[in-house]
Amino acid sequence: MNALKIKKGSNSHSAYNLRSTFSDVIEQHTLAVVVDNEAGVLARVIGLFSGRGYNIESLTVAEVDHTGKRSRITIVTRGTPQVIEQIKAQLGRIIPVHQVNDLTVEGPSVERELALIKVEGAGDHRVEALRLADIFRAKVVDSTLTSFVFELTGTPDKIDAFAELMRPLGLVELARTGVAALSRGDS
Amino acid sequence: MARQMTGAKMVVQALKDQGVDTVFGYPGGAVLPIYDEIFQQNDIKHVLVRHEQGAIHAAEGYARSTGKPGVALVTSGPGATNAVTGLTDALLDSIPIIVLSGQVPTFMIGTDGFQEADTVGITRPCTKHNWLVQDTDDLSRLMHAAFHVATTGRPGPVLVDIPKDVQFATGTYHPKPKSSDFRYQPPLKADTEELTELVAALEVAKRPVFYTGGGVINSGPAASQLLRELVEATGAPITSTLMGLGAYPASGEKWLGMLGMHGLYEANMAMHDCDLMINIGARFDDRITGRTDAFSPNSRKAHIDIDPSSINKVIHVDFPIVGDVAHVLEDMLRIWKARGRKMNREALAKWWQKIDGWREVKCLTYKNSDKIIKPQYALERLEALTKDHDRYITTEVGQHQMWAAQFLGFEDPNRWMTSGGLGTMGYGFPASIGVQMAHPDALVINVAGEASWLMNMQEMGTAVQYRLPVKQFILNNERLGMVRQWQQLLHGERYSSSWSEALPDFVKLAEAFGAKGIQCSDPADLDDAIMEMLNYDGPVIFDCLVEKHENCFPMIPSGKAHNEMLLGDASTEGAIEAGGAVLV
């Protein structure tokens, strides 16, 4: 009997060799998923991502049609084009999923995120935080003598930029909603 | 005409309305009201298994052999967790089954009650869909939806978790709706333009091959019929996955045999060298493709599948076609005929010459013995003595399963039940029980290895109780044969935990259960022993003592391409020369 010519100590004992021949460029996509608002539907979507090893950069979910019991899940994910196609197809298989739209490829879209940012400080830092908030059109929604809570809406990039600026000025807490997105234009 | 009834009654009523005649199950506290209703009627037979895993596999065997959904009923907690392996098995092999599980009452959910488990949470990733029924008024609607989802599109397992108070409470029963009333309606018909492009590619192909899978069988008998018509009319060769055996007859002249890791040399070589591969209802599983970056490098590939997520998942294809196999094949044939039934006959003849050369390798040749039974010989004899019967075969998982696929011939679909995707040892015996329940007068044989068989041997009680004459044909090598083979080939012959030291006396075991046991160790006695098994009207354990160290060939070794098959010591010397560089 011929043993297979595998080097001693080699770990390549698996029958699985699924090296992809597809493109390995990583892309970021925003997916809008309309689902029946039934028990466990979010767990199905999240379980799909964890079970198959896909990334979730951001995820938001809320009921958008109370009478029709529909929720809209907005997912920002990253992967190769082949993985993105798989994610869409796998989402489409989930029984309570009505529709999967890839807003990144289906024409122009708007994406917004809301953040609440708590900044603590005194003196010049406090003045500078207020000045920058004005530039970013952040609203002050709570204030004490030593702190502000800003509300800021914008693209994730804008929120990242504002948070970075606030960090040296006393940023202590940040809450973000994740991305909500819609396609531009009619329909 | 809505009627008022208890939840438990609704369950039985919905099963009747769905045409269910058999339920496999095991009672327990959380399903007692349903069992009480089953007791008070005669339309639905209940088969008491000995372990819930057995109920699920039996339902799978029933489904696979009839084309109808299988139904299992289990209690909460351990009943449901014991069902998990079977559910996963059915998910990976796309078998339509409905599993009903009991649950603690709704007001106790979340309190860690006795026999409480988060069944919908545990089974969410191993079902096509599942529901926890919170209200008796929803129960009948969800029961009917479960049947619709399990059998529509790509089939699969569906679980309905029913709390005990929902079973006791009274609510409104909704009769079975029309299939078209449900929102879930995967498209069956493919795009005509895309199909026309594929037909045009087929017309000019020099080296086409059909590569078919379980999807053809799931699509129903019409799909197999259309497949046969397409293959005969075009004259192109056809191979199939493990799951697809029987869709095209093994005696058909275009048949290359099974492909894949232990597939036939001619099938794998044809896949590697083809210029047009038409995948019909298969999914480019890793046991089929081997090394994906060397998989059929010079072909254009078409993939016909009802599940869009199967397409481009593993192998990039040039003709992606989403649709039901029967619908697609019907349209494809129609288009091909309308365009003048063209094929590149000259090139096809050369392609067949090449294939005939590969066939001459006779890759299934093995060295027989007159002293000890070779497993291949045992299966050859089993085939010869049973092929004219109304026969259904189930298998366990391992070497015997591959040999069964190689040496038994399947002329029709739904005759071959095996755990392909999940590779569940312990599948075959309970599956044979499910098949026999569906086909009481047929010959049902489970080709098994002794190790797999022991995993669900408790089902002997079921077979004897229901007088099911299932034949357990155990190729006993006292080894975990496939594990041992891999250890020999890949792990320096270090046989770590791959043998059984304390096997039962299978003849006495059979007798202890009230069945018949037969042992055979001499090749000269084999035919008589098999005939004795066939002539006995009742369950039989056939302990066939075979060569302990036989390896299963051909084999595509780890990380190798289709044209790098290992024929091992199976081939004659001349054949090895003809095989050329294929040997390691």
Side-chain angles (χ1 to χ4, degrees):
Chain A
M1 167 53 46
N2 285 329
L4 301 186
K5 286 174 184 159
I6 288 177
K7 256 204 283 185
K8 281 225 165 82
S10 160
N11 284 323
S12 62
H13 286 162
S14 169
Y16 303 88
N17 193 330
L18 300 175
R19 272 176 295 172
S20 173
T21 52
F22 305 159
S23 162
D24 51 5
V25 180
I26 303 289
E27 298 174 352
Q28 178 166 307
H29 285 241
T30 303
L31 308 178
V33 188
V34 177
V35 299
D36 283 327
N37 185 16
E38 63 175 40
V41 66
L42 185 60
R44 284 179 211 284
V45 171
I46 293 172
L48 169 68
F49 277 75
S50 63
R52 294 189 184 261
Y54 306 142
N55 296 307
I56 297 181
E57 301 275 307
S58 145
L59 181 137
T60 64
V61 54
E63 190 173 74
V64 291
D65 174 2
H66 185 67
T67 45
K69 289 192 176 171
R70 302 282 165 79
S71 289
R72 184 180 173 103
I73 302 176
T74 309
I75 306 166
V76 181
T77 185
R78 291 170 68 80
T80 62
Q82 182 246 347
V83 167
I84 300 285
E85 287 309 309
Q86 259 299 297
I87 291 173
K88 288 189 272 183
Q90 293 288 354
L91 284 169
R93 287 173 88 190
I94 297 176
I95 306 295
V97 166
H98 286 246
Q99 212 183 330
V100 180
N101 286 105
D102 185 344
L103 298 175
T104 306
V105 297
E106 294 173 14
S109 61
V110 280
E111 293 191 5
R112 289 294 180 270
E113 189 177 2
L114 186 141
L116 295 172
I117 303 126
K118 185 175 281 182
V119 179
E120 289 180 4
D124 287 350
H125 278 181
R126 197 169 153 81
V127 176
E128 183 62 11
L130 261 186
R131 205 179 62 82
L132 287 167
D134 193 40
I135 293 170
F136 274 77
R137 298 196 181 118
K139 275 198 290 186
V140 177
V141 290
D142 179 67
S143 177
T144 67
L145 292 175
T146 56
S147 71
F148 290 118
V149 173
F150 296 113
E151 174 198 311
L152 177 62
T153 308
T155 62
D157 281 354
K158 179 178 167 181
I159 290 167
D160 287 345
F162 185 69
E164 276 317 302
L165 285 171
M166 288 302 113
R167 215 167 287 282
L169 299 178
L171 185 143
V172 289
E173 237 180 322
L174 176 62
R176 300 174 69 149
T177 58
V179 170
L182 280 181
S183 61
R184 288 181 186 272
D186 49 15
S187 84
Chain B
M1 42 155 225
R3 284 182 286 161
Q4 296 294 305
M5 61 180 81
T6 65
K9 210 175 184 72
M10 275 184 200
V11 169
V12 174
Q13 188 61 47
L15 293 176
K16 284 181 193 172
D17 287 359
Q18 290 288 342
V20 173
D21 53 21
T22 309
V23 172
F24 303 91
Y26 203 103
V31 282
L32 283 176
I34 299 173
Y35 271 87
D36 202 28
E37 289 299 331
I38 288 175
F39 187 82
Q40 299 175 52
Q41 55 84 50
N42 289 314
D43 297 328
I44 296 170
K45 285 187 292 261
H46 177 269
V47 178
L48 174 69
V49 295
R50 296 303 187 264
H51 183 283
E52 286 86 352
Q53 187 187 352
I56 314 298
H57 293 323
E60 287 186 273
Y62 180 97
R64 192 70 174 165
S65 66
T66 59
K68 296 195 294 181
V71 180
L73 172 59
V74 301
T75 193
S76 64
T81 56
N82 280 345
V84 165
T85 301
L87 288 167
T88 314
D89 191 88
L91 184 70
L92 280 189
D93 285 345
S94 304
I95 309 296
I97 57 169
I98 290 92
V99 176
L100 309 173
S101 57
Q103 181 56 278
V104 300
T106 49
F107 53 84
M108 281 185 70
I109 288 178
T111 65
D112 297 326
F114 178 65
Q115 294 195 328
E116 180 183 357
D118 175 9
T119 301
V120 286
I122 289 167
T123 60
R124 199 173 285 129
C126 62
T127 51
K128 184 174 173 185
H129 197 61
N130 63 14
W131 286 282
L132 169 67
V133 184
Q134 313 244 25
D135 189 327
T136 308
D137 281 330
D138 294 333
L139 179 55
S140 55
R141 182 178 60 80
L142 293 178
M143 287 284 297
H144 296 306
F147 279 84
H148 175 76
V149 169
T151 55
T152 307
R154 181 178 181 171
V158 174
L159 178 137
V160 185
D161 198 26
I162 313 171
K164 199 172 181 181
D165 56 336
V166 172
Q167 300 169 32
F168 272 126
T170 299
T172 306
Y173 180 82
H174 302 278
K176 180 185 170 184
K178 286 198 298 285
S179 178
S180 56
D181 292 346
F182 292 97
R183 185 184 65 79
Y184 177 68
Q185 301 288 351
L188 299 172
K189 283 179 85 75
D191 184 82
T192 308
E193 225 166 277
E194 286 173 356
L195 270 182
T196 309
E197 280 176 38
L198 173 57
V199 168
L202 179 61
E203 286 167 351
V204 298
K206 294 188 174 116
R207 302 182 306 280
V209 66
F210 291 109
Y211 146 47
T212 61
V216 182
I217 294 176
N218 277 336
S219 181
S224 293
Q225 212 46 54
L226 287 158
L227 176 71
R228 290 163 190 221
E229 196 187 327
L230 181 67
V231 170
E232 298 314 326
T234 58
I238 174 169
T239 176
S240 163
T241 67
L242 182 71
M243 293 306 294
L245 298 178
Y248 183 83
S251 60
E253 64 176 81
K254 306 293 184 288
W255 177 239
L256 301 182
M258 180 179 79
L259 82 161
M261 184 172 266
H262 292 288
L264 270 65
Y265 181 67
E266 48 269 42
N268 285 333
M269 290 302 283
M271 287 286 280
H272 188 268
D273 282 11
C274 68
D275 71 343
L276 178 68
M277 175 190 298
I278 302 180
N279 170 344
I280 308 174
R283 59 180 175 91
F284 295 110
D285 178 87
D286 58 79
R287 302 284 116 164
I288 296 305
T289 61
R291 191 173 148 182
T292 51
D293 60 0
F295 175 69
S296 192
N298 302 312
S299 62
R300 291 205 287 169
K301 300 175 185 72
H303 189 176
I304 299 166
D305 202 303
I306 197 158
D307 179 359
S309 78
S310 279
I311 291 173
N312 289 334
K313 181 172 69 177
V314 178
I315 297 292
H316 181 79
V317 296
D318 308 276
F319 304 96
I321 290 167
V322 176
D324 167 64
V325 169
H327 286 80
V328 171
L329 291 185
E330 191 179 12
D331 288 347
M332 208 173 143
L333 263 166
R334 186 175 43 74
I335 294 167
W336 180 72
K337 285 175 183 167
R339 285 168 57 100
R341 300 167 178 262
K342 285 177 286 198
M343 286 297 283
N344 188 345
R345 298 283 170 194
E346 207 173 308
L348 202 54
K350 277 192 199 150
W351 178 223
W352 273 110
Q353 274 174 15
K354 205 165 180 188
I355 290 168
D356 287 339
W358 292 324
R359 280 173 163 172
E360 277 166 30
V361 170
K362 299 198 185 313
C363 65
L364 294 183
T365 311
Y366 62 95
K367 208 176 282 174
N368 209 350
S369 160
D370 56 3
K371 296 197 173 53
I372 190 149
I373 301 173
K374 290 287 186 133
Q376 300 95 323
Y377 177 71
L379 287 166
E380 277 184 341
R381 295 317 303 155
L382 185 72
E383 167 74 355
L385 297 171
T386 63
K387 68 178 176 193
D388 296 328
H389 286 68
D390 176 17
R391 182 188 76 176
Y392 294 83
I393 300 284
T394 68
T395 78
E396 307 285 346
V397 169
Q399 283 182 324
H400 68 274
Q401 178 190 29
M402 296 296 108
W403 280 317
Q406 292 170 345
F407 287 90
L408 303 181
F410 297 94
E411 297 297 309
D412 296 300
N414 305 99
R415 296 278 172 163
W416 164 247
M417 274 55 60
T418 193
S419 172
L422 194 64
T424 310
M425 291 171 71
Y427 165 88
F429 184 15
S432 72
I433 286 173
V435 175
Q436 190 82 72
M437 278 305 294
H439 309 277
D441 300 323
L443 171 63
V444 181
I445 304 172
N446 174 34
V447 175
E450 83 290 347
S452 281
W453 193 84
L454 287 175
M455 282 202 177
N456 271 321
M457 58 165 271
Q458 75 285 347
E459 299 306 329
M460 273 311 287
T462 313
V464 172
Q465 178 172 344
Y466 294 91
R467 301 171 199 275
L468 300 172
V470 287
K471 313 301 181 200
Q472 305 302 311
F473 192 73
I474 300 176
L475 299 174
N476 185 352
N477 60 3
E478 300 171 16
R479 302 286 184 280
L480 311 185
M482 193 60 94
V483 172
R484 190 206 55 73
Q485 176 169 346
W486 280 54
Q487 288 171 336
Q488 179 186 347
L489 297 176
L490 303 163
H491 293 275
E493 301 183 43
R494 291 179 294 281
Y495 298 120
S496 180
S497 299
S498 58
W499 76 97
S500 317
E501 236 167 35
L503 286 170
D505 177 330
F506 283 100
V507 174
K508 282 189 185 156
L509 182 69
E511 288 163 358
F513 274 105
K516 183 178 177 62
I518 300 171
Q519 191 181 62
C520 185
S521 57
D522 186 338
D525 299 338
L526 185 60
D527 276 24
D528 287 347
I530 291 175
M531 286 314 294
E532 191 188 350
M533 171 180 88
L534 298 178
N535 290 331
Y536 182 75
D537 183 22
V540 176
I541 302 179
F542 191 106
D543 184 17
C544 189
L545 300 175
V546 296
E547 161 66 49
K548 297 184 193 344
H549 300 110
E550 191 72 14
N551 282 329
C552 184
F553 291 112
M555 176 182 185
I556 302 178
S558 313
K560 299 278 181 168
H562 275 176
N563 62 345
E564 297 175 286
M565 290 195 85
L566 192 65
L567 295 172
D569 41 29
S571 307
T572 63
E573 263 177 59
I576 291 171
E577 264 177 32
V582 296
L583 282 172
V584 173

